[in-house]
Amino acid sequence: MNLSLVIPVYNEQDNLPFLFEAVQKTMTEINQSWEVILVDDGSRDKTLSVLKQYAEKDPAHIRVISFRRNFGQTAAIAAGLDYAQGKIIILMDADMQNDPADIPMMLAKLDEGYDLVSGWRKERKDDALTRNLPSMLANGLISRVTGVHLHDYGCTLKVYRRDVLEGFRLYGEMHRFIPVYANSVGANITEMPVRHYPRKFGKTKYGLERTAKVILDLFTVKFLVAFASKPIYLFGGTGGLLMIASSIIMLYLLVRRIFFLSV
Ligand code: UDP
Ligand code: MG
């Protein structure tokens, strides 16, 4: 298997026909072995039955995983990755805000010698104030803290070589931090502008509160990447500094007690 597309799906029944049409068109054009893994994240509309209908029509390519309840986009992506067999993994949203037609140029970029090609929604078509602005600030902060400079961590459309996806667990809102993990194992990362469209059907599942979660996850990711295999440097280092500070205070009190205070 060469290419695995992993797509999390939550209440997207009306987008699915367009998604399947676009995915099948692009993947047929690419002409390599491929599969698409759709993870139904506990949808409450007809998503699951629509997915199953498509899978019955094309079982060689379409695989469906379903969650009993809504576990969130990151959990859906993680489950999809566990099942993906391709040497190259492509992550994408189901709502047709991303365009599968961008995949060939991203694969061509990967072939130039990269391990990860990150999509950048240069002309993003979401709400400016509640989505684009906080996301721009978050991207700046993440780039600065992690040293991995990307314009658009939040764009799901990214292409990965399989080996840079192994060895870590995803939770919270963490799928967007995969490039940071990949960088920590030496991945060669690049980004390229991709198309972006407003949502036609269904609603976004996110608002401003997600930016807060992303910032909190950033702390965890920074800790895991920098110290998970050597926590003594963080805890031992902090402990050492506190010991030095307390020894100085002790010494000061001792000197004061012996030489300057008679009682
Ligand atoms: N999604 C999911 N579980 C959730 C929320 C979203 O699987 O709990 C999927 C959703 O169906 C879509 C993708 O994740 O394919 C991105 O969600 P959305 O379009 O709502 O996010 P936005 O594009 O507004 O950031
Ligand atoms: Mg979307």
Side-chain angles (χ1 to χ4, degrees), residues 120-124 126-145 148-155 176-177 191 207-208 210-212 214-215 218:
W120 168 18
R121 296 163 294 179
K122 205 168 177 181
E123 290 167 35
R124 187 170 166 182
D126 284 320
D127 189 81
L129 208 60
T130 60
R131 304 298 305 279
N132 301 358
L133 179 70
S135 149
M136 200 183 79
L137 298 174
N139 282 311
L141 183 69
I142 299 170
S143 296
R144 183 172 279 244
V145 171
V148 184
H149 294 272
L150 291 180
H151 284 93
D152 197 356
Y153 274 90
C155 177
R176 71 192 52 241
F177 292 113
E191 65 180 353
L208 204 54
R210 183 170 56 177
T211 312
V214 167
I215 304 293
L218 174 61

Side-chain angles (χ1 to χ4, degrees), residues 12 93 95-98 121 126 131 196 199 204:
E12 306 283 7
D93 286 344
D95 56 2
M96 290 305 285
Q97 289 198 263
N98 297 139
R121 296 163 294 179
D126 284 320
R131 304 298 305 279
H196 193 245
R199 233 183 205 279
T204 174

Side-chain angles (χ1 to χ4, degrees), residues 26-255:
T26 297
M27 297 319 275
T28 314
E29 277 167 16
I30 293 174
N31 197 21
Q32 295 184 29
S33 55
W34 65 279
E35 63 176 355
V36 54
I37 297 172
L38 298 126
V39 187
D40 171 46
D41 187 12
S43 298
R44 281 180 298 250
D45 64 359
K46 295 201 184 69
T47 291
L48 184 58
S49 61
V50 178
L51 289 178
K52 282 183 173 161
Q53 279 167 26
Y54 279 97
E56 262 167 40
K57 274 190 261 166
D58 187 1
H61 293 122
I62 300 175
R63 307 174 70 193
V64 176
I65 299 173
S66 82
F67 283 177
R68 228 175 271 276
R69 70 163 170 86
N70 179 240
F71 283 90
Q73 190 183 351
T74 297
I77 287 174
L81 291 179
D82 284 345
Y83 280 82
Q85 294 176 344
K87 291 192 206 102
I88 292 171
I89 313 246
I90 303 156
L91 297 185
M92 204 179 76
D93 286 344
D95 56 2
M96 290 305 285
Q97 289 198 263
N98 297 139
D99 193 338
D102 284 330
I103 294 172
M105 72 168 183
M106 298 177 86
L107 289 173
K109 193 82 190 166
L110 200 77
D111 271 347
E112 288 175 19
Y114 293 100
D115 301 302
L116 197 172
V117 180
S118 172
W120 168 18
R121 296 163 294 179
K122 205 168 177 181
E123 290 167 35
R124 187 170 166 182
K125 304 288 192 311
D126 284 320
D127 189 81
L129 208 60
T130 60
R131 304 298 305 279
N132 301 358
L133 179 70
S135 149
M136 200 183 79
L137 298 174
N139 282 311
L141 183 69
I142 299 170
S143 296
R144 183 172 279 244
V145 171
T146 63
V148 184
H149 294 272
L150 291 180
H151 284 93
D152 197 356
Y153 274 90
C155 177
T156 314
L157 180 56
K158 298 188 200 299
V159 175
Y160 307 83
R161 274 186 214 285
R162 178 183 197 87
D163 47 352
V164 302
L165 287 175
E166 280 161 0
F168 54 85
R169 293 239 32 101
L170 294 172
Y171 48 89
E173 289 291 328
M174 278 185 196
H175 61 273
R176 71 192 52 241
F177 292 113
I178 297 173
V180 180
Y181 286 110
N183 179 62
S184 76
V185 295
N188 199 0
I189 300 173
T190 190
E191 65 180 353
M192 68 192 309
V194 293
R195 284 165 268 205
H196 193 245
Y197 307 106
R199 233 183 205 279
K200 282 208 197 87
F201 304 105
K203 277 196 301 245
T204 174
K205 282 86 197 177
Y206 301 111
L208 204 54
E209 80 289 348
R210 183 170 56 177
T211 312
K213 289 190 191 165
V214 167
I215 304 293
L216 292 173
D217 283 340
L218 174 61
F219 287 102
T220 316
V221 170
K222 176 71 185 171
F223 172 79
L224 289 177
V225 168
F227 299 110
S229 61
K230 40 183 172 353
I232 191 65
Y233 290 176
L234 181 67
F235 297 114
T238 322
L241 284 176
L242 290 174
M243 270 166 65
I244 293 170
S246 57
S247 304
I248 292 172
I249 295 170
M250 281 287 286
L251 197 66
Y252 163 75
L253 290 174
L254 209 63
V255 169

